[in-house]
Structures are given as structure tokens and as C-alpha cells.
Amino acid sequence: MKKLLSSHSLSLPLSLFHSLLLLLLASLSFTSCTDKESDLGIDLIDSTTLYEGTVDTLYADNAWTEFDDSLQTSGTSFGIIGNYHDATFGSASASFYTQIALPSNANDIAFDSMVIDSVVLSFAKTQLFPDSTTTYHFHFEVKQLSEQLLSDTTYYAFDQLPVDENATFFNGIVPVTYYDTVVNLKLDSSINRVIRRSATAEDFLAETKGLRVRILNSSDEGLLTVDLTSTNTCLRAYYHYVYDNDTVSSAYTFLLGAGTAHFTHFSHNYAGTLFASGNPIPGTYRLYLEPLAGQRVRLSFDHDLKAFHTAHPWAVIHHAELLLPVAPEALAGDQPDQILTLGKSATNDNWFYIDDLINVYDLTGYDGTFHSDRGLYRIRVSQHLQGLLRLGLDPGLRIFLNSARHAAQRTILNGLSTSDRPRIVIVYSE
């Protein structure tokens, strides 16, 4: 190129050359892309081709499935109610507990002089499981708590609060369809004595105590996921009063879910399943991920990591991704939306989100999402692996479902002795 554009080889006048060069640049501007650079299609490229270096693979040497017995469920944006059973994971049920609170801008309420016409408990529906397209006939039960649900307490999946058996505000079957966006429960008039009062916002919480909402086993089996941040999730009282001989009708909206203290209780019955003994399940052939405080996975790459560190003590990790292949029998169902990982401290029993989940890169596709074309989950672990190499060992990873608190999709991963087993693919230089 330098020879073609050198002053010795150009016989054109300089001004004519500049004109031709400007014309060439102008023609290129019409054919080049004018959109901003994007990562569209990045997942279609093998990630290892995006980096310069040597490719290697580390295989997991230790893995097992264990109970997820410490799932915090208070303060979530979504809730789930209902019951479900399958042959592999047994039975699971979900009950929802919530305060009834005044609107956030209300310091007190003077409702005792109002005539309440009806009270409706509403949930904004987001998902039905296992079949999102069918109609379920759910037998809802709504009871008042006999003990206050506290705002300053952290609640876990195993927590429960007692209910007042004489304060049942709803007990009936409601059809819920694919097309419904809101599920409405018209409560019994006995709810009136609970909310018809004058009180400060704080006293109102203490006096009303809260509600437990569940779906009884006598109805269709299924789970309803609700959006707790939606304004359609609320308790609305329709009332009237007389003013200057005129009857005035209105409605008062109480908060429940987001804006109040709330949590979900999960229970499991593993009778007749692989998990009935309560012991960890070795991950020789299969690893199990179940939501709703069910099952999670432990994984370690200690053997291969130490061997790699010995062979390449000065390795710099450019890219590393954890690949978790899904077992063939689980591929037919809907996969959970995302898998997350925690790393274990080498000095104590503390767990932490790995660096790659905290310091998010611009590249997409490596954040624990399912890749249907390859039948596996991919999780970026570049920074985490570099840290393990500095440490010289792998204390282990905890694998769990991001949607474990509000979605019922579960999956099964391949174990250590399968041909398509868990692994970390790395690109490094030294």
C-alpha cells in the first residue's frame, strides 16, 4: 500500500488525488453501517475466539446435591402460592404471609365511621405452573394471623406464623386462566372489623397483625406466581358515608406485599424420592436444582485447579466460563431462568457472590442463563478463577436457582461421571 501511494508512483496532480480520495471516502460512508456498536449475535460466537491465548479445561472433581435450608423469603418482589408434585422431587407447597398496611403517604387512618360495602384482596398474576396455558381451579384460603408479622424481622422459607382459626376471610374455589392478569378474592364481611378502625400507621399494623394466604390441596394442583410490586396487588375496601344528606361512595387501598413486611413459607414432602433420607446426594451421575427451598448443588474443581496452578504458576486468565450441562431427561421441560453461584471462603464457612457477578462485563450470555442450542448453563468465572489461582486451591462453589423464591421451574444437571460433565473452559496466557 505504501508503494502505491508513494510520491514517486503517483502521476496524478495532488489536487486531483485529493478529490478522488474524498470521493472514495464518501462512497464508503453510504455502504458502511451507521448504527452504534452492539453485542447482537455475540452468543453465536465461540467465546474462546474473542481472546488471544491458550485454551484449557478444568473438570469438577467433587459435587453433591444438598438441601437449600437457609433461603430468605422476606422482602421479595414476587411471591408464589400453591402446591405441586412430581415423581423426582416429591411434593412442594407455598403459603404467603403479609402485613396489611396503610398507603406509604398515610400516617394514620380514621375508618371506623365508614360503612364498608365490600373488601377485595387482589394479586397481580405473572405465571401459572406447570401449564401456563390452562385454567386452574384454586381453592384459596385467607386467614388472619394471631401473631403480628414484624417489620424488623428477617423471615426464611421454614418460618411460619400462627393463624386465628376463627378469622377466616375467604374459603372458596376461584378459576384462574391464562388470560387473567389479576386474581380477585372477595373477602367475607368479617374482615370489616379488622380494618374498620382509627389508628396510627404503626398501631394499625400491630392491630391487624397480617394475613396468611394459601391454596388448599383439595383443588387443582398448581402454583400461582404474583407480582408484589404491582399496584394491582393490594387490599381494597369499598365503602360509603353520608355527607350533607348525600351518600358518598369511595374506595381505600391498603398495601400488601411490596411496601409491607411479607414472606413465603415453603414445605416439602420427599417420601418415596431420592431425597427422602435427608442426606446429601453424591453427584456421580446427576445433580439436582429445585426451587422453593428445595435442592441446591455444591461443586469443586480443586484437583484440576491445583494441577493447572503447578504447571502454569504465572497464568493470566483472560476468560473463563463454567459450563453446566443439563441432563437429557430434563431438557424437555421449561428451564429455570438463571443459575447463580456463590464462592466459599478458604478460612471460614462464609459464602459470597463471586467477583464476576458483582463486576458485570459488557459481554452478554455468560451470566448463568440457559443456552438451548447447547443444552447447558454458562456462568462467567474469569475473575473468580484468577483469585483461586492466587489462593492455590478451590474451597468450592454453591450453585442455586436465581428464581428459587418465586418460580417453580427446576432442572437436573449432568454429574461428574458423564461424558458431558461440569467444567470450566479457560483462555490464558503466561
Side-chain angles (χ1 to χ4, degrees):
M1 184 64 72
K2 288 183 179 179
K3 181 178 180 181
L4 290 175
L5 297 181
S6 67
S7 58
H8 296 292
S9 62
L10 288 175
S11 58
L12 296 174
L14 188 59
S15 60
L16 179 58
F17 172 73
H18 286 165
S19 299
L20 290 172
L21 183 59
L22 289 173
L23 182 62
L24 175 62
L25 291 174
S27 65
L28 288 174
S29 68
F30 288 108
T31 60
S32 62
C33 179
T34 58
D35 291 339
K36 291 183 179 180
E37 185 178 353
S38 74
D39 57 5
L40 182 63
I42 197 76
D43 290 347
L44 302 178
I45 304 172
D46 185 338
S47 58
T48 58
T49 66
L50 301 175
Y51 303 89
E52 229 180 285
T54 304
V55 179
D56 205 342
T57 302
L58 309 181
Y59 291 97
D61 59 89
N62 195 15
W64 66 89
T65 300
E66 63 184 13
F67 286 113
D68 188 2
D69 56 359
S70 59
L71 184 66
Q72 178 182 330
T73 61
S74 55
T76 57
S77 298
F78 294 87
I80 190 166
I81 313 166
N83 307 279
Y84 183 66
H85 172 84
D86 71 28
T88 300
F89 292 96
S91 299
S93 66
S95 303
F96 179 64
Y97 293 77
T98 180
Q99 292 176 330
I100 308 171
L102 304 185
S104 57
N105 61 350
N107 296 319
D108 52 44
I109 186 173
F111 212 57
D112 51 347
S113 61
M114 305 303 174
V115 178
I116 300 178
D117 301 310
S118 63
V119 179
V120 178
L121 174 61
S122 299
F123 290 110
K125 187 203 78 174
T126 63
Q127 187 182 39
L128 290 170
F129 181 88
D131 186 352
S132 62
T133 64
T134 194
T135 296
Y136 289 88
H137 293 84
F138 288 138
H139 189 164
F140 286 94
E141 178 194 76
V142 181
K143 287 182 178 288
Q144 185 183 18
L145 301 180
S146 60
E147 176 184 307
Q148 183 185 357
L149 200 165
L150 301 174
S151 302
D152 58 356
T153 299
T154 298
Y155 292 95
Y156 293 86
F158 50 76
D159 284 317
Q160 298 184 74
L161 293 177
V163 296
D164 184 347
E165 295 296 343
N166 297 315
T168 301
F169 302 138
F170 190 90
N171 189 336
I173 295 177
V174 177
V176 181
T177 73
Y178 167 78
Y179 302 100
D180 291 326
T181 57
V182 179
V183 178
N184 294 311
L185 308 179
K186 186 178 179 181
L187 303 185
D188 186 82
S189 60
S190 58
I191 185 69
N192 296 359
R193 64 173 174 77
V194 176
I195 61 176
R196 190 175 175 268
R197 63 182 69 242
S198 292
T200 65
E202 185 177 351
D203 288 341
F204 186 84
L205 288 177
E207 294 166 4
T208 57
K209 297 183 176 60
L211 300 174
R212 184 190 70 185
V213 184
R214 64 178 182 172
I215 295 174
L216 302 181
N217 283 320
S218 57
S219 63
D220 289 347
E221 184 180 90
L223 289 147
L224 167 68
T225 299
V226 298
D227 183 357
L228 301 177
T229 66
S230 171
T231 56
N232 289 324
T233 298
C234 63
L235 183 75
R236 186 169 287 115
Y238 298 90
Y239 65 95
H240 70 270
Y241 60 94
V242 177
Y243 181 77
D244 284 345
N245 296 321
D246 289 331
T247 299
V248 180
S249 298
S250 188
Y252 193 97
T253 301
F254 297 91
L255 300 180
L256 56 85
T260 72
H262 61 273
F263 73 95
T264 308
H265 168 71
F266 299 125
S267 63
H268 293 265
N269 184 348
Y270 291 112
T273 73
L274 185 66
F275 315 103
S277 68
N279 299 320
I281 309 300
T284 307
Y285 298 104
R286 293 293 183 263
L287 295 161
Y288 300 87
L289 287 171
E290 183 193 17
L292 317 185
Q295 306 293 327
R296 66 190 179 200
V297 167
R298 291 279 295 275
L299 202 61
S300 174
F301 293 83
D302 192 58
H303 179 272
D304 276 12
L305 184 133
K306 287 178 176 176
F308 179 85
H309 182 56
T310 299
H312 311 283
W314 308 111
V316 175
I317 303 299
H318 302 298
H319 176 76
E321 60 179 85
L322 171 63
L323 303 182
L324 299 172
V326 174
E329 65 269 23
L331 285 172
D334 291 336
Q335 296 300 313
D337 63 346
Q338 187 181 35
I339 286 178
L340 295 181
T341 58
L342 295 177
K344 188 177 186 299
S345 171
T347 57
N348 53 47
D349 288 332
N350 292 336
W351 292 87
F352 56 88
Y353 284 102
I354 64 173
D355 293 336
D356 299 86
L357 292 178
I358 300 171
N359 306 313
V360 180
Y361 297 163
D362 290 334
L363 290 177
T364 60
Y366 311 104
D367 54 355
T369 55
F370 179 67
H371 290 251
S372 58
D373 56 332
R374 299 174 63 182
L376 51 74
Y377 287 88
R378 301 166 67 186
I379 303 174
R380 181 176 47 245
V381 293
S382 308
Q383 296 182 63
H384 180 68
L385 185 62
Q386 189 73 73
L388 294 182
L389 289 174
R390 288 194 293 267
L391 187 64
L393 57 90
D394 179 15
L397 291 171
R398 178 180 287 171
I399 312 295
F400 61 100
L401 299 177
N402 184 40
S403 56
R405 296 170 178 85
H406 64 265
Q409 282 81 1
R410 65 282 313 276
T411 195
I412 304 172
L413 306 175
N414 281 341
L416 304 182
S417 294
T418 59
S419 57
D420 191 15
R421 58 192 187 274
R423 58 195 180 274
I424 297 177
V425 176
I426 61 177
V427 182
Y428 72 97
S429 62
E430 56 186 333

